[in-house]
Amino acid sequence: MGDRGDAARGWSPGLVAMVGAAAAVVTLAGLKASASIVGPTMLALLLTIAVSPLRARLERRRAPFWLCVAVPLVTVIVMLLALGAGLALSAAQLATLLPTYSGQFTDLLHGVTGELAEHGIDQAKLQTALSKLDPGQLFTFVQSFLNGLLSASSAIVLIVLMLVGMCLDATGTVRTLERIRPQQPELVDALRRFARDTTRYLVVSTVFGAIVAALDVVVLYVFDVPVPLLWGLLAFLTNYIPNIGFVIGLAPPALLGLLEGGWTAMVWIIVAYCVINFVLQSLVQPKFLGNAVGLSFTLVSLSLLLWAWVLGPLGAILAVPLSSLTKALLVDADPTKKWMTGLLGPAVDGPDPRPDPDVRPARN
């Protein structure tokens, strides 16, 4: 074992990076192959962490053990059942909505083609280009997104079993971490920070996502956009998707606003969505969320692509917590990798820490 350790310490940094990348590829391939199990399990873990403050409050009030387990468990199950019912109803509504707008979209294309042809654009080439536009592709993408989440929520038996086990083991896990803290202080502290920050991220994102969705539904009711509750649910779900979630939640109702009320309705819907999103999610929400994510914008974007590829739509929603967990286990828990925290985290405003080469230190 000593010889192996010495050999490993003699590896070049490039070779270590290549071996680590190969191990990551094998691990991700295994996760992708078992996504039907890993996805619901990760969802159950994160939901158990999200309701941990409720369990901790009951324990502080010396509630019986069964109550400390039952209350968080029932809370999560009720939320899952409500979300699953909403997804099922939304997918059914969207399936019946798609065929009703093909004629309207064709008329819209003819109108746009005629307007542009009057300005000297070749009508034949224009019709060829516009004929490739199909609004059904956008709605099909949304429907596949909802169906992907619905298939994950359909594994309700697995999720409930995992939730029951995790809720039963939660108290014992906390005590076990306390016992091993003298031997593994970095690991325990990293897991504690992950649980605390993930709880804050999920709770704050859920509250603000619900507020944004409610305001979006009001806007859609004003402009008579069909099935506004469906698009409100979509806005709520895409609130968890970093960076591009807002665009996914905006595109279908904006297109329906165009088909129903014309360009003016579409523009007003886009403006209303942008104002609501900017005020609540860009100005107000960060004050409550703080730096709970601990990941840079680039890393969050890469995490979205990676986890969506591995776990599908559920991975896109859980991308930030899953990347935070990976960072906690691989970086925060290893004292030799503390230097990576600054590289992975968001940029910090402040003075440049590098010394000015033209300024010489003062002599005593």
Side-chain angles (χ1 to χ4, degrees):
M1 294 296 293
D3 295 339
R4 292 181 180 179
D6 294 338
R9 284 192 292 270
W11 289 1
S12 65
L15 182 58
V16 172
M18 291 177 62
V19 173
V25 169
V26 173
T27 302
L28 291 173
L31 292 176
K32 182 176 176 61
S34 56
S36 60
I37 298 176
V38 175
T41 302
M42 289 294 100
L43 177 62
L45 173 62
L46 294 175
L47 289 176
T48 303
I49 293 174
V51 296
S52 59
L54 183 58
R55 181 176 53 254
R57 180 173 299 180
L58 291 172
E59 290 176 351
R60 286 196 298 269
R61 295 185 177 182
R62 300 186 180 278
F65 176 76
W66 67 268
L67 192 62
C68 295
V69 174
V71 172
L73 179 61
V74 170
T75 302
V76 172
I77 291 177
V78 169
M79 292 173 56
L80 281 177
L81 291 176
L83 182 59
L87 287 173
L89 180 60
S90 299
Q93 287 180 327
L94 189 57
T96 59
L97 182 68
L98 292 180
T100 61
Y101 284 95
S102 58
Q104 290 176 319
F105 187 74
T106 302
D107 295 338
L108 177 65
L109 286 184
H110 286 312
V112 172
T113 303
E115 289 290 335
L116 295 178
E118 292 179 358
H119 291 80
I121 300 177
D122 189 354
Q123 189 171 3
K125 295 181 179 179
L126 188 61
Q127 287 180 347
T128 302
L130 293 178
S131 63
K132 298 179 181 179
L133 295 177
D134 183 8
Q137 294 180 355
L138 174 62
F139 292 111
T140 301
F141 169 77
V142 174
Q143 189 172 21
S144 63
F145 174 77
L146 295 175
N147 288 336
L149 295 178
L150 185 60
S151 63
S153 63
S154 64
I156 189 67
V157 176
L158 174 60
I159 296 177
V160 169
L161 288 176
M162 297 303 300
L163 282 171
V164 171
M166 291 177 183
C167 288
L168 287 172
D169 294 338
T171 302
T173 301
V174 172
R175 294 173 180 172
T176 300
L177 290 176
E178 288 292 335
R179 287 197 298 268
I180 68 174
R181 193 178 188 282
Q183 291 77 30
Q184 297 289 339
E186 292 85 5
L187 174 62
V188 174
D189 291 341
L191 292 177
R192 280 180 170 178
R193 285 194 299 271
F194 163 73
R196 180 197 62 206
D197 294 343
T198 299
T199 300
R200 187 193 312 169
Y201 170 79
L202 292 175
V203 171
V204 172
S205 298
T206 300
V207 172
F208 278 90
I211 296 173
V212 169
L215 294 177
D216 290 343
V217 168
V218 173
V219 171
L220 298 179
Y221 266 117
V222 171
F223 290 97
D224 293 326
V225 175
V227 288
L229 294 179
L230 165 61
W231 310 123
L233 177 61
L234 181 64
F236 173 75
L237 293 174
T238 55
N239 178 67
Y240 296 99
I241 301 178
N243 303 338
I244 65 170
F246 169 70
V247 178
I248 297 175
L250 168 63
L255 179 57
L256 285 179
L258 172 63
L259 297 177
E260 287 286 340
W263 295 99
T264 303
M266 184 189 72
V267 170
W268 277 111
I269 291 173
I270 293 175
V271 170
Y273 263 65
C274 290
V275 170
I276 293 171
N277 180 80
F278 177 74
V279 172
L280 290 178
Q281 296 183 333
S282 299
L283 297 181
V284 181
Q285 182 173 334
K287 295 182 179 180
F288 292 89
L289 195 57
N291 192 23
V293 176
L295 301 173
S296 66
F297 182 86
T298 302
L299 193 58
V300 168
S301 301
L302 292 175
S303 301
L304 171 62
L305 298 176
L306 176 65
W307 291 113
W309 174 73
V310 173
L311 300 179
L314 184 60
I317 290 180
L318 301 180
V320 171
L322 291 177
S323 295
S324 298
L325 176 60
T326 304
K327 176 176 174 287
L329 294 175
L330 299 183
V331 177
D332 298 340
D334 189 349
T336 63
K337 295 183 175 62
K338 292 293 185 182
W339 58 272
M340 296 180 64
T341 303
L343 297 176
L344 300 177
V348 179
D349 295 332
D352 191 346
R354 294 173 299 178
D356 190 340
D358 297 332
V359 178
R360 297 181 179 180
R363 296 181 179 179
N364 294 329

